[in-house]
Amino acid sequence: MTRPPRTLNISDVAERAGVSPATVSRVMNGNPTVDPELARRVRETAAELGYSANPLARSLVLGRTQTIAVVVPNLANPTFQEILRGISRSASRDGFHVLVADTNETVAEERSLATEARRRTDGLVLCAPRMGEAELTALLPTLTPVVVVNRDAGHDVPVIAADYRSALHDVAQHLYDLGHRRIVYLAGVRASATNTQRAEALDELRRRHNDVSVIEIDCGVSFQDGAGAVDTVIATRATAAIGFNDLVALGLVNGLRSRSVRVPDDISVAGLDDIPFAQFASPPLTSATVPTSEMGEHAWAALHRLIEGREAAPAMFFRPRLQVRESTARAPR
Amino acid sequence: MTRPPRTLNISDVAERAGVSPATVSRVMNGNPTVDPELARRVRETAAELGYSANPLARSLVLGRTQTIAVVVPNLANPTFQEILRGISRSASRDGFHVLVADTNETVAEERSLATEARRRTDGLVLCAPRMGEAELTALLPTLTPVVVVNRDAGHDVPVIAADYRSALHDVAQHLYDLGHRRIVYLAGVRASATNTQRAEALDELRRRHNDVSVIEIDCGVSFQDGAGAVDTVIATRATAAIGFNDLVALGLVNGLRSRSVRVPDDISVAGLDDIPFAQFASPPLTSATVPTSEMGEHAWAALHRLIEGREAAPAMFFRPRLQVRESTARAPR
DNA sequence: TTGAAAGCGCTAACAG
DNA sequence: CTGTTAGCGCTTTCAA
């Protein structure tokens, strides 16, 4: 293991300016107890040499890295991309860097990835963790400061989440109002907590309307998953389908097209999330708008408070807004 | 500035195991020169205490962080999202973490963001930098090890790029073959190097076919930019339009729809990149497929080589593949 | 107001 | 094979 050649350090500057390293440190940190004239000279020397303090060394001694970590289940999912973007923009505005970790839907690695990422940073945003309730409850305290996105997480941890129960309720009710009585729901990963919320909304629909039949199909979270479910969906003879998210819904639409099933004439399809491209799909997809990048910003704000030792932010739930587009229509009679 | 409470460190483990810190260090690093029995005991103690070495301290002494930085112009752009994902996946496979920095198309901050990010990491992937040639040439040597994506960068720096010249050539030729003789091109940011490549391809088209007229319009890189250009495009009376990228093209399509101009009946529209959603657009968008996530993987591979002190990888150019879909058709007569 | 010295947590050269 | 020691680059008491 060859050690890299050493670089310009604080002593070099100190020596050149004829002062002690301590003084250079004070100047670089804007400590006002330094003689103005001396400070000027040091600053000049530093500029001349192109010196700036090694962030690693500072991190070690100060115990803070000015960096946070964001753990997402899948970087290919537009929802998490948006959340990441929201976090990244606002964190960088506050002078923080962002480390990103993609678990790739591998539940088994969530824990270690989060732990590892957390150790190199000052705090963590855990997005939609897929692990079991017990594991999460045990893990979170070891991760503080941490905030959780799109999953509920007890009372000690700030939560920023979309209310998927309400979202699915609105979408399902919209379909019911259009006359659909046989509705299929393409469920996401069982492990996903938001999937449970969605299921609850379906239960409620069943309770409220005894003339409706809701069929749940195990599917997945990706475009491919949605496309792959097409035959099962057709077999149910449902007149409407709701995707776990827009990706699944869009995949299904594509699959239906390949089977020459028309959307929305033969079957209505709706998604959840309202990803940026839902509106440009063919046909434009009915969905429920989740304010993802704002949620990212709030996640950062909550984490920032924690990092600064301020009181934890309360859990925040965002109610998605139903966005009716052309992929849903009256049920065929 | 309150110093955080100190945590479990190597001396705690050493003390508990009745050995020196050096021995613990050796054990933790798998150094084989330790008595197996002793090693076992140390490992046991470490596990018992839940100890693992502080990465910050290791980074400082070893001079490597096991982290790389990725700088992108815009995290909202699917192309950069995919590149980031490709890098992230492959880097993490090799035990590296990824710091992400979004410049938000702010040319003035590219330099400082890249420099800052580089200082906390072992290497940098600079994606499609927008800064001027001279500035880039001056900056790159201060960033090594660094690899550049989607922009040419002299001979000392590995480059991973899509051949946009070829891509635009194929798209333009495709339109020409469909009978289009009046084609409008929605240019991206002037600063973008790949924009220049695209312009070259248009020049070539003009040279080869003196019956074709190619109009260039300053536009931008986003969906909104494309939508905003709609009236200008209509005013040109062109029968076909090529977007700087798929986002612009999709924006234009949407704008045209709002003006009741039919695609492709009245005007053909094509994009560049073939982002994941190009195929689900309405109508599905003709584009040129850029293998973004593979490019990300190659970018990591090239950077990894550099970090390990191996010889620099040669510049790699990927030729995009024309993907004809329903947004382009024969020119109206 | 400034400098000397200790120490953040770790690794590696050097003795033994 | 193991411990002692020095030092990565910085900040921060403590004394002067």
Side-chain angles (χ1 to χ4, degrees), chain B residues 204-224:
Chain B
E204 194 190 314
L205 187 77
R206 291 190 185 99
R207 270 199 306 280
R208 256 219 313 269
H209 307 288
N210 54 24
D211 59 338
V212 72
S213 152
V214 181
I215 304 120
E216 291 181 48
I217 293 179
D218 275 339
C219 178
V221 300
S222 73
F223 182 85
Q224 282 72 21

Side-chain angles (χ1 to χ4, degrees), chain B residues 280-292:
Chain B
F280 318 127
S282 157
L285 187 72
T286 291
S287 190
T289 311
V290 174
T292 39

Side-chain angles (χ1 to χ4, degrees), chain A residues 87-99:
Chain A
I87 295 171
S88 162
R89 292 177 62 136
S90 44
S92 114
R93 212 173 287 131
D94 291 323
F96 275 72
H97 299 255
V98 173
L99 198 73

Side-chain angles (χ1 to χ4, degrees), chain B residues 299-329:
Chain B
W300 162 245
L303 184 55
H304 199 191
R305 284 173 63 156
L306 251 32
I307 289 176
E308 289 193 331
R310 284 146 59 201
E311 196 196 4
M316 294 179 69
F317 296 90
F318 291 78
R319 171 165 301 175
R321 245 190 347 270
L322 178 68
Q323 187 67 248
V324 178
R325 301 204 181 91
E326 299 164 33
S327 67
T328 51

Side-chain angles (χ1 to χ4, degrees), chain B residues 23-81:
Chain B
T23 297
V24 177
S25 172
R26 287 193 269 258
V27 172
M28 297 305 284
N29 291 298
N31 186 324
T33 74
V34 181
D35 179 273
E37 169 54 22
L38 227 197
R40 201 194 48 70
R41 203 171 79 220
V42 169
R43 248 189 305 274
E44 205 164 78
T45 314
E48 199 172 296
L49 264 37
Y51 170 81
S52 74
N54 179 328
L56 242 49
R58 298 199 74 216
S59 294
L60 181 60
V61 63
L62 293 176
R64 52 186 166 73
T65 60
Q66 295 292 106
T67 304
I68 60 163
V70 178
V71 178
V72 297
N74 185 359
L75 218 40
N77 186 320
T79 299
F80 299 124
Q81 291 166 352

Side-chain angles (χ1 to χ4, degrees), chain A residues 18-56:
Chain A
V19 298
S20 75
T23 298
V24 177
S25 172
R26 292 190 186 100
V27 172
M28 299 303 287
N29 290 298
N31 185 324
T33 73
V34 181
D35 180 274
E37 168 55 22
L38 227 196
R40 202 195 46 71
R41 205 171 79 221
V42 169
R43 249 190 304 272
E44 204 165 78
T45 313
E48 199 172 295
L49 264 37
Y51 170 80
S52 72
N54 180 326
L56 242 48

